[in-house]
Amino acid sequence: SITAEEGAQVLEDQLGTVDETTGNPMSYGYEGTVTLDGTEYYNYRVSWLVNGDHLSYLTNYLVSTDGRVVQEYL
């Protein structure tokens, strides 16, 4: 199993640190754990920094506690 910090790194590795289209820096904030269909996930709020002065919420992503599954949390 991985830690919540390692889960954030998995997201950063997959989604990047900067949005390629806008150039906005990405932010991944840990919000807790969620269990879906018997699998435990770390839940992250995904935002980006707009105009260098405020974060704008995009969506949430889940990373399974074993690090194998990454999916958008709708």
Side-chain angles (χ1 to χ4, degrees):
S1 117
I2 63 172
T3 66
E5 292 79 14
E6 290 168 326
Q9 186 62 54
V10 168
L11 271 183
E12 189 174 293
D13 291 347
Q14 287 196 17
L15 302 180
T17 57
V18 175
D19 179 69
E20 290 184 19
T21 304
T22 64
N24 293 340
M26 302 296 294
S27 170
Y28 306 103
Y30 175 66
E31 293 195 328
T33 58
V34 175
T35 302
L36 297 174
D37 299 323
T39 301
E40 190 171 13
Y41 297 90
Y42 296 120
N43 178 20
Y44 299 90
R45 178 182 182 92
V46 180
S47 305
W48 58 14
L49 185 64
V50 178
N51 297 325
D53 65 8
H54 68 279
L55 285 175
S56 179
Y57 171 76
L58 298 172
T59 191
N60 278 58
Y61 264 82
L62 299 176
V63 177
S64 61
T65 56
D66 65 6
R68 293 183 182 165
V69 177
V70 176
Q71 65 186 31
E72 191 171 10
Y73 185 33
L74 302 174

